[in-house]
Amino acid sequence: TALARMEAQYKTKIQELEQEILELKDFVSKTTPTSGNSYAFPATNKNLTEKVEAYRTFISDYIVKAQEEKAKAVQMAEEKIKAKYEAEKAKDRSIGELE
């Protein structure tokens, strides 16, 4: 009957899922915890940790340098505008003295 086929289908699916759980438990028991609840093989863990640290160093240096360059650019723009304003101010004074 249809009910018997559905029951057999669900039993098969349950058995497949139970087998997958066992395989995952076996996999987890063979790995080393890295941090929190993530797992990796020891050799891979060390390699990835080194890569992550190198990336962090690169990113932090990049951010610091970018902020320094941005600050220098702003300072140069301010100095340029100030020089232009001072030149116009001096020009206006000299025109006023001539009149």
Side-chain angles (χ1 to χ4, degrees), residues 31-80:
T31 59
T32 305
T34 54
S35 63
N37 58 3
S38 62
Y39 290 85
F41 291 104
T44 305
N45 181 24
K46 183 178 180 185
N47 190 19
L48 289 176
T49 301
E50 290 171 355
K51 285 182 179 182
V52 167
E53 287 303 316
Y55 179 74
R56 284 181 181 164
T57 302
F58 169 77
I59 289 297
S60 28
D61 288 345
Y62 176 81
I63 290 171
V64 168
K65 287 177 184 174
Q67 291 299 320
E68 288 173 349
E69 289 176 10
K70 182 179 173 183
K72 286 179 187 176
V74 168
Q75 184 180 10
M76 288 174 56
E78 288 174 347
E79 289 172 0
K80 189 174 182 180

Side-chain angles (χ1 to χ4, degrees), residues 14-29:
I14 289 171
Q15 289 172 347
E16 289 172 4
L17 291 173
E18 287 174 343
Q19 181 62 34
E20 188 176 341
I21 289 171
L22 291 174
E23 290 171 5
L24 289 172
K25 284 181 179 179
D26 185 48
F27 174 76
V28 168
S29 69

